[in-house]
Amino acid sequence: MAKHFHVNTPLLESMGMSKRVGTTVYMKMENSQPAASFKIRGIGHLCQQLARQSKGVVCSSGGNAGIATAYVARKMGVPATIIIPSSSPQLVVQRLQDEGATVKIVGKVWDEANAEALRVAEAEGLTYVPPFDHPLLWQGHASLIAEVAASLGPSVKPGAVLVSVGGGGLLCGLVQGLKDVGWTDVPIVAMETVGADSFNAAVKAGRLVTLDDITSEAKCLGAKTVCKQAFEYSQSSELTIISEVVTDQQALQAIQTFLDEERVLVEMACGAVLAAVYSGLIGRLQDEGRLPTPLGPLLVIVCGGSSINLEQLSSLKEKLQT
C-alpha cells in the first residue's frame, strides 16, 4: 500500500509573473498531481483513513474531486460512484469512466449532485467522500505547505500565498499547513470569480451566505456555500485572509497568458488565482496597504485542471469574448 497517493510537486519560479509583481513568484505546480489537481492530497488521505474496508466510495464533484476519488479508489481496489452536475464538461465524464468509476449525472449545480451522493451513501452503505468540507481533507492538503517550506529552506518565507477558493477545502488546508510550519503571519489572498464567489459574499456579510446560483464559467469553484471552517478562518484575528474577486474574462485571460508564458494549460478555477497576478491586483493591494511593500516572494498555488482541453478553451473564448 502506497504511503500516500499524491506526489511532491515541483516548486518553480515564474519569470513572467515575477517581472509583473516586482518580487520572486514561486508556482506550486499541483496540476502535475496524478489526478491533475491538489485534491488528491486530501482525498487520498481521507480514503486511507476511512475507506480501507469500504464496499465502495461515493463523491459528488463537477471535476477534480471526482477524478481524485476515482483515481484513489482504483488504486485501492474499491468501487467508486461519482455524481456530477449537468454543468460538468464531457471530458470530465470520459476521464472518470477511464478511471473505472460509475458516473451519474444529477442536478444542475454541485449542491444538487451532493444531496444525491449523501442519499446514495446512506442507501447503499458506501463511504461518502466530501469534496472540500472535512478535517481529514484539510490535513491532507496541509502537506502542500510542508513541501514548500522544505523546498524554500529555513531562511525564506513567502510574502503572501495566493489561492483559488471554491468550497474552501484548499484554503483550510493551507491555513493548517501555515500553522504547522509557523507561518501564520503570512497573508493569504483568496481568489474567486464573479458568480462563484460564496466565500467573498460570506466575508462581506459577516456570515455564511448561500448563492442563488453559480453563474461563473469556473464551474469547479461552484459551491453555493463555502465551508464553515473557511469562513471562520476569515474572521480570525490571528490570520490575514484577503478575499478578492475577478471576472470570468480576467480568469480566461489569465489562463491564456499562463499557457503562453509557462506552456501549461489549467482550468478557469485556477485562472482565478493567476488573474491576481496578471490583472495587477497584487499591485493594487500593495497600493491600498493591504499587502506590504516591498513584498517577499509570492507563492501561487497552481491548483490544477482536469476539466480543460483546447476544445474547452475555444468554447470558453467564444462564450466570454462576446
Side-chain angles (χ1 to χ4, degrees), residues 243-272:
S243 168
E244 289 287 333
V245 175
V246 290
T247 63
D248 275 1
Q249 283 79 4
Q250 286 172 311
L252 175 63
Q253 188 57 59
I255 58 179
Q256 294 183 96
T257 306
F258 193 70
L259 181 58
D260 283 346
E261 292 191 356
E262 310 296 338
R263 295 160 304 285
V264 173
L265 178 61
V266 292
E267 67 188 31
M268 286 284 282
C270 188

Side-chain angles (χ1 to χ4, degrees), residues 134-153:
H134 197 289
L136 287 171
L137 296 177
W138 312 332
Q139 219 176 346
H141 299 331
S143 59
L144 192 155
I145 295 291
E147 286 173 16
V148 170
S151 297
L152 292 178

Side-chain angles (χ1 to χ4, degrees), residues 34-35 66-67 70-75 80 94-101:
I67 289 168
Y71 173 87
V72 168
R74 179 170 64 82
K75 291 289 186 193
Q94 190 56 56
R95 182 90 193 266
L96 289 167
Q97 288 168 340
D98 291 347
E99 288 288 359

Side-chain angles (χ1 to χ4, degrees), residues 39 45 67 69 77 106 134 138 144 154 172 204 218 232 234 271 279:
K39 292 279 188 186
H45 182 61
I67 289 168
T69 302
V106 177
H134 197 289
W138 312 332
L144 192 155
C172 292
K204 279 185 177 155
E232 283 172 5
S234 77
S279 73

Side-chain angles (χ1 to χ4, degrees), residues 6 47 73 86 109 167 171 196 198 204 209 234 254 295 302 307 321:
H6 67 266
C47 288
S86 59
V109 292
L171 177 62
S198 57
K204 279 185 177 155
V209 169
S234 77
L295 189 58
V302 181
S307 65
Q321 291 178 343

Side-chain angles (χ1 to χ4, degrees), residues 294-306:
L295 189 58
L298 287 184
L299 172 62
V300 175
I301 312 297
V302 181
C303 45
S306 33

